[in-house]
Amino acid sequence: MITWFRVGCSCVAATGFTVAATGCGNQSTLAPDSHASHDISNVWWAMLVGSAVIFAVVVAILAFGLLRRRGQAPADRRPLRSGTWMVAVGGLALPLVVLVVLFAATIKALPATSATGQKTSFTIDVTGRQWFWDVSYPGHDFRTANEIHIPVGESVLIKVTSADVIHSLWVPALNRKIDVIPGKTNEVVFHATHAGVFRGQCAEFCGLEHAHMALLVVAQPLAAYESWLNNEERPPPPPPTPELEQGQQIFLGSDCEYCHAIAGTNASGTIGPDLSHFASRLAIGADTLPNGEGYLAGWLLDPQHFKPGTQMPATALSGTELQALLAYLESLR
């Protein structure tokens, strides 16, 4: 009896941990913010309830078989009657009903989660790289990184491909995950029902910094979205102060310009993220750190400390040079 009690407690604990792990944080399948993610969430709950019902029936049958003759002497035990009806109900009829319900729920979710046949108003191209997301907007001459801006209430077609290895883009609050494969373009549709910031993650192991390859989807009203697009298309103005000019020269005189691009300057690298409007972004290093001056200083001096394996080398600067470079990067809005 004690053994069965322990087994039961272990099952309950494991189920509770699974539910908690699946629903924790701000990147949860169980916190849907679009029609597609609602359908996915419904399928998840249907699968959980269905599996729980089947598990309960199996345990009940097992317990019945073990306990019905408990305490009887072997000589007093009579042969068991046929359990055909129990097998038919618990092993065939009930699982069949549950599977049919799950199949129907899955079929219902497919149109909402598929990009095929959906009418979309905007298109965004996303390229997975080790280890950041390169984002461009067809018809607009700029690139950004690790943030996808979309208008609220509009269906946006996200086209994904990879520049190196297989990745997977997953923003659970908005839709299913989509594989990001070199040489192939896959599609998923994001449709946010309200304004907000939704976290996404690479969901396919892609190397040492796979866990630190996240992104943010910023859903904003259409007017704010169009204003953001217009701002991104404008190159940042020339540095208006000597300190900012010094910071720009430090950037252009270092190895930074060979990896990064800044519109309106000679920096045109494509290995790392485009930094033209870096200061307007919410995070650093594919959502590894918040985008603030202190975090940025630490990132510049020793990025390997925060993201081991990142391709960005450490920057050797004096205190004055670091302050000038920080001021310049913080001015890129």
Side-chain angles (χ1 to χ4, degrees), residues 30-325:
L30 306 183
D33 286 288
S34 72
H35 299 302
S37 58
H38 270 288
D39 286 348
I40 294 172
S41 177
N42 290 339
V43 171
W44 189 94
W45 282 112
M47 292 179 65
L48 177 65
V49 172
S51 61
V53 170
I54 293 177
F55 177 77
V57 171
V58 171
V59 170
I61 294 174
L62 180 62
F64 177 76
L66 292 174
L67 300 177
R68 64 174 299 181
R69 296 189 298 177
R70 185 171 178 268
Q72 293 181 347
D76 298 333
R77 294 177 182 173
R78 292 175 295 178
L80 293 174
R81 296 180 181 179
S82 172
T84 303
W85 68 272
M86 297 179 66
V87 174
V89 174
L92 181 62
L94 183 60
L96 182 62
V97 171
V98 172
L99 290 176
V100 168
V101 172
L102 292 178
F103 180 75
T106 303
I107 294 298
K108 180 180 180 297
L110 287 179
T113 59
S114 174
T116 304
Q118 290 203 44
K119 184 179 179 181
T120 56
S121 305
F122 301 89
T123 299
I124 299 174
D125 293 333
V126 180
T127 301
R129 303 179 186 271
Q130 292 177 309
W131 285 274
F132 73 98
W133 301 97
D134 201 357
V135 185
S136 61
Y137 296 72
H140 301 275
D141 188 22
F142 70 89
R143 291 168 51 232
T144 184
N146 305 316
E147 282 186 18
I148 302 175
H149 285 245
I150 63 174
V152 174
E154 301 285 348
S155 295
V156 181
L157 181 66
I158 309 296
K159 293 185 174 183
V160 298
T161 190
S162 172
D164 36 55
V165 301
I166 296 177
H167 303 279
S168 186
L169 177 64
W170 188 32
V171 185
L174 297 179
N175 209 327
R176 64 186 177 91
K177 79 180 186 73
I178 186 76
D179 289 334
V180 183
I181 302 173
K184 180 177 176 60
T185 299
N186 289 332
E187 299 176 347
V188 67
V189 173
F190 289 166
H191 184 111
T193 55
H194 62 84
V197 179
F198 310 103
R199 191 178 190 274
Q201 177 70 43
C202 178
E204 183 76 27
F205 181 74
C206 56
L208 182 62
E209 277 309 311
H210 160 70
H212 286 163
M213 187 175 171
L215 78 160
L216 301 173
V217 177
V218 181
Q220 51 198 153
L222 181 58
Y225 172 74
E226 292 177 343
S227 176
W228 177 84
L229 284 177
N230 293 332
N231 181 70
E232 292 291 313
E233 283 195 299
R234 291 192 296 267
T241 67
E243 182 187 31
L244 296 182
E245 186 174 356
Q246 180 190 7
Q248 185 187 68
Q249 293 306 312
I250 292 171
F251 182 92
L252 297 177
S254 67
D255 292 337
C256 300
E257 67 168 336
Y258 299 111
C259 294
H260 299 281
I262 295 179
T265 72
N266 294 329
S268 57
T270 58
I271 297 174
D274 188 302
L275 302 180
S276 297
H277 294 277
F278 167 78
S280 65
R281 296 174 193 165
L282 299 175
I284 301 170
D287 202 30
T288 301
L289 295 169
N291 191 357
E293 185 174 338
Y295 293 107
L296 179 56
W299 175 262
L300 290 173
L301 294 175
D302 190 9
Q304 298 293 330
H305 174 76
F306 301 100
K307 194 170 180 177
T310 182
Q311 298 184 26
M312 180 174 170
T315 305
L317 298 171
S318 68
T320 303
E321 290 173 333
L322 177 61
Q323 289 301 319
L325 180 57

